[in-house]
């Protein structure tokens, strides 16, 4: 006879951590994309109809990459914290997901947020196309 070990019960914290992974990833991708779109529209730089389509494709790709990275971070954090208590495992998972989503959003905004050198027509931004309200903690 083989000894069958019953599956571990999933705590409320773990359910929350797993169910929050995809929405947190999508929310981070949407926030980064919306901030980049607002900056481009404000400066009227790379906001013509063909560029809006490119921006939509960037959003879809960013969403996929962010959600996949968030799921990967959740799995990795879960594996690294197996010996910890259930709330600690779930907290590690949520912290890992939030960290990955914030880093990817920050990187996207640093690279694609403000298209430098693109001729903006609004006259509201300098040649760097960085709006005056752009967050200082995001590099341009």
């Amino acid at each position: 006879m083989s000894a069958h070990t019953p599956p571990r019960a999933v705590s409320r914290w773990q359910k929350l951590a797993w169910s929050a992974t995809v929405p947190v990833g999508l929310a981070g991708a949407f926030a980064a994309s919306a901030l980049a779109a607002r900056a481009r529209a404000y400066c009227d730089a790379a906001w013509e109809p063909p560029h809006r389509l490119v921006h939509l494709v960037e959003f879809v790709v960013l969403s996929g990459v962010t959600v996949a990275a968030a799921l990967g971070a959740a799995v990795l954090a879960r594996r690294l914290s197996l010996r910890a208590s259930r709330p600690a495992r779930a907290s590690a998972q949520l912290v890992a997901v939030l960290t990955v989503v914030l880093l990817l959003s920050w990187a996207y905004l640093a690279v694609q947020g403000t298209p430098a050198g693109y001729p903006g027509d609004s006259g509201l931004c300098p040649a760097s196309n960085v709006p005056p309200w752009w967050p200082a903690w995001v590099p341009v």
Side-chain angles (χ1 to χ4, degrees):
M1 287 185 144
S2 66
H4 178 60
T5 57
R8 294 170 120 183
V10 178
S11 73
R12 188 176 323 145
W13 277 98
Q14 290 169 336
K15 288 179 185 175
L16 174 66
W18 283 114
S19 62
T21 300
V22 172
V24 166
L26 288 174
F30 178 77
S33 181
L35 184 60
R38 183 171 177 228
R40 292 175 186 182
Y42 184 84
C43 294
D44 195 24
W47 199 240
E48 294 82 22
H51 291 107
R52 290 182 192 169
L53 179 63
V54 168
H55 186 72
L56 177 65
V57 171
E58 285 177 0
F59 169 66
V60 171
V61 170
L62 179 65
S63 297
V65 167
T66 304
V67 167
L71 286 170
V75 169
L76 183 63
R78 176 101 168 119
R79 292 291 174 205
L80 292 176
S81 63
L82 278 178
R83 299 200 187 276
S85 66
R86 287 181 185 173
R89 281 193 309 254
S91 298
Q93 207 171 330
L94 285 173
V95 167
V97 166
L98 287 173
T99 302
V100 165
V101 167
L102 288 174
L103 286 174
L104 283 174
S105 299
W106 183 77
Y108 171 76
L109 288 172
V111 174
Q112 294 293 329
T114 57
Y118 193 90
D121 296 335
S122 70
L124 300 172
C125 300
S128 64
N129 290 322
V130 179
W133 50 262
W134 189 256
W137 50 270
V138 178
V140 290

